[in-house]
Amino acid sequence: MFVIDPYKFASVSYVNSVQQVSITIGSGATNNTATITSIDTSKSWVIFQGCTGPSAADAQANTHLCRVELTNSTTITAYRDSSSTDSITVNAVIIEGNSSLISSVQTGTITTSATTSNTATISAVTTSRSAVFWLGNTTTNTATNFGRTYSRAQLTNSTTVTATNGISQTSTTGYVVVEFSSSSINLVQPIATSLTNTNTSDNQTITSVSTSNSMIAHGGFTAAGNAISNAASTVEITSSTNVNTVRGGTSGAANRVPTYTVIEFASGVIKSTQRGTIALTSVTSNTATISSIGAKGFANFTGYRTVNTAIASSIQKISLTNATTVTASVNTSSAGDNGCGYEAIEFN
């Protein structure tokens, strides 16, 4: 008699839980925490979703640039370098995978002391199925025109993560290296390409991927010039062989390096992917309506762009506010090409 195995055709689950958090670092504070439902830290990673804050007299890079970290199984912490009269709000999402998706997770920080780069040594990973997610950076730099105070993180070999600043400065970069299981990954492509001096957009040719099975691991960016308008950019997979980076400004030093990894998962890992940019032109908040996604869905931050140089009207954050809505926000509205990149991703 022929017997059907009831588990043979069961769909595989890759993610156990997804938790969205918003953390406010209040006036006079340099950090704050959010409590989450307990997770397995060896199979979980954080995605930084940006931050926003008002512009007071002390609106500087050291008081307004933020990073996040998974502190323990029930706590996520947001940091800035120096206290301020301003409150800063930081968004992040915590994804708990399982053995079908994750081989290892390693998280940490890299501090540079008046230098442009430094490294962290990690346990060896298979680079062909590993990606670095940038968790933001804090800095002692007091610049108010702060484009070059950002950092980026890259997996430079199987045991080394490198953090790079736009200029020589004291900075702390947060990172998480996720090594995916061999059965869950088709292709990983790390990219760090300088934008040209005059172009507002640049296409990067990549090895062909299935766009519906792919996502971006944002790696941060560096810039030699001060103006954030000429430095920050959104990153979007626009076709199976192209990734487009778009910035708001049109000039500035040529050394602008957006860093990211294109991750193509095996068929069945991702249930759905939707992507785009949410315009923040003359508004402080705007939304993108998406096809409904479930409890294993989240908004992936893929950078922001701005025409401004002031902190309050530049730095942006996103979140998945309900099953059909991704929300982007900035503290102070302004005209021009301002917007936040996103991917609405739902795992199986």
Side-chain angles (χ1 to χ4, degrees):
M1 181 175 67
F2 178 72
V3 178
I4 297 176
D5 181 352
Y7 298 101
K8 182 177 181 180
F9 301 104
S11 60
V12 176
S13 173
Y14 293 90
V15 165
N16 292 338
S17 68
V18 173
Q19 299 182 63
Q20 175 76 52
V21 297
S22 185
I23 304 171
T24 297
I25 305 174
S27 175
T30 57
N31 63 80
N32 200 7
T33 62
T35 300
I36 58 174
T37 302
S38 184
I39 56 174
D40 178 357
T41 57
S42 69
K43 294 290 188 289
S44 303
W45 81 99
V46 177
I47 291 179
F48 178 66
Q49 295 176 307
C51 62
T52 57
S55 181
D58 59 352
Q60 303 169 159
N62 64 319
T63 59
H64 285 63
L65 292 191
C66 299
R67 59 182 174 85
V68 292
E69 70 177 22
L70 185 60
T71 311
N72 56 50
S73 62
T74 59
T75 309
I76 181 170
T77 306
Y79 298 91
R80 60 180 170 184
D81 182 78
S82 302
S83 62
S84 167
T85 57
D86 285 348
S87 294
I88 304 297
T89 302
V90 187
N91 283 358
V93 66
I94 304 94
I95 302 170
E96 181 187 25
N98 54 43
S99 297
S100 297
L101 181 66
I102 303 292
S103 288
S104 69
V105 174
Q106 300 180 68
T107 188
T109 59
I110 300 172
T111 298
T112 57
S113 180
T115 58
T116 56
S117 69
N118 200 4
T119 62
T121 300
I122 60 172
S123 298
V125 296
T126 303
T127 57
S128 61
R129 50 185 172 91
S130 300
V132 174
F133 291 78
W134 177 75
L135 300 183
N137 74 287
T138 54
T139 177
T140 62
N141 196 311
T142 58
T144 55
N145 199 353
F146 63 106
R148 62 182 182 169
T149 63
Y150 274 95
S151 72
R152 54 189 170 94
Q154 296 168 271
L155 185 64
T156 41
N157 59 53
S158 63
T159 60
T160 308
V161 180
T162 300
T164 305
N165 301 316
I167 58 170
S168 179
Q169 67 173 4
T170 299
S171 174
T172 299
T173 298
Y175 71 87
V176 56
V177 178
V178 182
E179 181 183 20
F180 296 98
S181 69
S182 57
S183 61
S184 69
I185 285 292
N186 282 346
L187 186 66
V188 168
Q189 300 180 67
I191 297 170
T193 303
S194 295
L195 297 181
T196 60
N197 186 48
T198 57
N199 288 356
T200 56
S201 65
D202 284 81
N203 271 306
Q204 174 71 40
T205 300
I206 60 173
T207 301
S208 183
V209 297
S210 166
T211 57
S212 60
N213 293 330
S214 300
M215 69 174 287
I216 293 288
H218 195 265
F221 67 89
T222 55
N226 282 325
I228 191 65
S229 57
N230 296 322
S233 59
T234 54
V235 180
E236 183 177 347
I237 299 172
T238 52
S239 75
S240 61
T241 57
N242 287 101
V243 177
N244 197 30
T245 55
V246 182
R247 64 190 177 106
T250 59
S251 62
N255 184 22
R256 289 179 300 276
V257 186
T259 303
Y260 56 93
T261 303
V262 180
I263 306 168
E264 183 189 22
F265 292 98
S267 178
V269 175
I270 290 180
K271 187 174 182 179
S272 67
T273 303
Q274 303 168 70
R275 52 178 59 93
T277 299
I278 301 175
L280 290 169
T281 303
S282 301
V283 295
T284 58
S285 180
N286 199 7
T287 61
T289 300
I290 59 174
S291 298
S292 183
I293 59 179
K296 296 179 182 179
F298 65 96
N300 185 34
F301 177 78
T302 59
Y304 72 89
R305 61 179 185 254
T306 181
V307 297
N308 301 291
T309 58
I311 287 177
S313 54
S314 299
I315 56 176
Q316 302 164 24
K317 67 180 188 295
I318 62 165
S319 65
L320 182 69
T321 43
N322 59 54
T324 60
T325 309
V326 179
T327 301
S329 60
V330 65
N331 186 76
T332 303
S333 64
S334 65
D337 185 16
N338 310 298
C340 202
Y342 75 90
E343 292 176 327
I345 295 173
E346 182 178 12
F347 280 105
N348 278 311

